[in-house]
């Protein structure tokens, strides 16, 4: 079945190639009807021998036209697959949403090709002035890449190690790697060995690498190791996000607030995530034993405070759930102190 599908695919590719060649006779494109910034479908400018080694469907690819000469166009090749930044490949990203194309395209601006007019098959789309200017001047590149800097690369500067974990267009993001004595209490760390020494990757750090400065290339870790680090990072952040925020006090526990226009009273208990929480007091001056979010914007603090005994009764009588158990426990500890 796979052999049949492969055969059908090759026949369809050959037909498409013949169709494009038929619909675009030789000589239809020249200096008069090709512009700088055009993205054109072109037969790759290779020798016949090399071209025959490439699958039929891949012999035609988009090229960004950056110069026009009497002999043909000068252009950069495009690919829908992002490859690592290396000394041989410097990529400029063209987002699919920006031009309503099917796939995001990456322009390899490290190598120019002379494309004979005969090789141009059809028009694809036109880049805007900003992208054309970025590609022609390469102003978006703030550095010259000396080594292979892909995800998982470890660099060193001023005796500090950095692990590159994300690349967005021409910007490299890294986690700082520190020794054990520089670990901070609130950081998220994963141990990693470099040349026999143990360092700790600060998973909560995000550092933009500016390669205008001198960085020493150390090594590139294995994809499996990078995957484990990413897996650990997701796990740690998930656990952290599931932790309840620690409550804090903006007012004394048991403070009574009064809202004059509604004639409501509130008993303040704690703050969490910038919100105040406590209990309502109903019209009969009875405390509703349920924790509610309090809107104290228009309420006035009466400077009356519930007694310790009243607060103890409130804590014990509140209808609670698992989320509030820890909070109430902490509040009770504060009452005892």
């Amino acid at each position: 079945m796979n052999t049949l599908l492969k055969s059908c695919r090759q026949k369809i590719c050959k037909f498409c190639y013949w169709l494009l060649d038929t619909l675009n006779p030789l000589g239809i494109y020249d200096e008069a009807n090709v512009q700088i910034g055009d993205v054109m479908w072109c037969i790759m400018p290779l020798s016949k021998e090399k071209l025959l080694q490439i699958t039929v469907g891949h012999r035609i690819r988009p090229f960004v036209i950056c110069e026009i000469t009497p002999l043909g166009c000068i252009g950069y090749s495009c690919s829908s697959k992002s490859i690592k930044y290396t000394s041989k490949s410097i990529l400029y990203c063209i987002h699919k949403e920006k031009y309503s194309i099917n796939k995001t395209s990456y322009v390899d601006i490290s190598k120019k090709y002379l494309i004979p007019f005969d090789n141009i098959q059809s028009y694809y789309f036109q880049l805007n002035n900003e992208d054309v200017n970025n590609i022609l001047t390469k102003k978006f590149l703030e550095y010259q890449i000396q080594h292979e800097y892909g995800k998982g690369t470890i660099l060193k500067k001023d005796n500090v190690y950095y692990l590159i974990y994300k690349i967005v267009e021409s910007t490299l993001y890294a986690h700082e790697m520190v020794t054990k004595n520089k670990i901070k209490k609130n950081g998220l760390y994963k141990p990693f060995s470099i040349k026999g020494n143990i360092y700790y990757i600060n998973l909560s750090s995000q550092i933009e690498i500016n390669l205008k400065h001198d960085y020493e290339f150390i090594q590139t870790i294995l994809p499996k190791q990078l995957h484990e680090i990413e897996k650990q990072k997701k796990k740690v952040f998930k656990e952290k996000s599931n932790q309840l925020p620690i409550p804090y006090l903006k007012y004394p526990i048991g403070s009574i607030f009064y809202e004059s226009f509604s004639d409501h009273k509130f008993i303040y208990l704690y703050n969490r995530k910038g919100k105040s929480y406590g209990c309502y007091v109903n019209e009969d001056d009875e405390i509703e034993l349920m924790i509610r979010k309090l809107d104290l914007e228009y309420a006035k603090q009466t400077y009356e405070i519930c007694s310790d005994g009243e607060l103890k009764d409130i804590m014990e009588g509140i209808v609670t759930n698992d989320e509030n158990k820890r909070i109430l426990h902490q509040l009770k500890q504060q009452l005892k102190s």
Side-chain angles (χ1 to χ4, degrees), residues 270-296:
Y270 62 88
N271 265 64
R272 189 177 58 142
K273 286 188 174 180
K275 305 292 183 181
S276 299
Y277 293 85
C279 297
Y280 287 3
V281 180
N282 63 26
E283 295 175 355
D284 299 322
D285 241 19
E286 295 174 345
I287 300 170
E288 296 181 1
L289 297 176
M290 184 174 293
I291 295 178
R292 299 178 183 272
K293 189 185 295 183
L294 305 180
D295 185 358
L296 302 179

Side-chain angles (χ1 to χ4, degrees), residues 115-264:
I115 307 161
F117 289 116
D118 291 350
N119 284 40
I120 301 176
Q121 299 298 294
S122 63
Y123 172 85
Y124 191 10
F125 63 95
Q126 169 76 30
L127 295 178
N128 63 29
N129 292 334
E130 180 185 3
D131 284 332
V132 171
N133 186 58
N134 283 338
I135 289 171
L136 294 182
T137 62
K138 302 184 183 180
K139 285 183 179 178
F140 73 98
L141 290 175
E142 296 182 353
Y143 54 84
Q144 291 182 347
I145 297 178
Q146 304 297 328
H147 299 282
E148 181 174 335
Y149 295 141
K151 287 173 65 176
T153 298
I154 295 176
L155 304 175
K156 181 182 178 183
K157 180 179 179 293
D158 298 332
N159 290 321
V160 179
Y161 291 93
Y162 301 93
L163 170 66
I164 296 173
Y165 69 94
K166 181 172 68 173
I167 299 175
V168 180
E169 296 188 6
S170 60
T171 305
L172 281 65
Y173 295 93
H175 292 312
E176 188 179 17
M177 304 177 72
V178 299
T179 51
K180 191 173 183 178
N181 63 328
K182 291 187 178 180
I183 290 179
K184 297 177 182 178
K185 289 183 179 179
N186 297 327
L188 305 172
Y189 297 91
K190 180 175 177 61
F192 192 84
S193 175
I194 301 178
K195 297 181 178 179
N197 298 315
I198 300 296
Y199 291 84
Y200 294 83
I201 305 168
N202 185 354
L203 300 175
S204 56
S205 65
Q206 177 174 291
I207 297 165
E208 248 182 71
I209 297 294
N210 183 355
L211 293 179
K212 275 186 176 181
H213 306 295
D214 292 330
Y215 285 84
E216 180 186 350
F217 174 82
I218 302 301
Q219 68 182 75
T220 299
I221 68 175
L222 297 172
K224 184 179 179 180
Q225 293 174 304
L226 185 63
H227 175 72
E228 286 299 318
I229 292 169
E230 291 295 328
K231 189 177 176 181
Q232 176 71 15
K233 186 161 64 172
K234 287 179 182 178
K235 181 182 177 181
V236 169
F237 278 105
K238 186 178 180 180
E239 289 174 354
K240 189 177 180 183
S241 64
N242 289 336
Q243 293 175 359
L244 290 174
I246 297 173
Y248 61 94
L249 299 178
K250 191 174 180 181
Y251 309 99
I253 297 176
S255 293
I256 298 173
F257 286 79
Y258 176 68
E259 196 175 69
S260 58
F261 67 87
S262 65
D263 198 28
H264 284 162

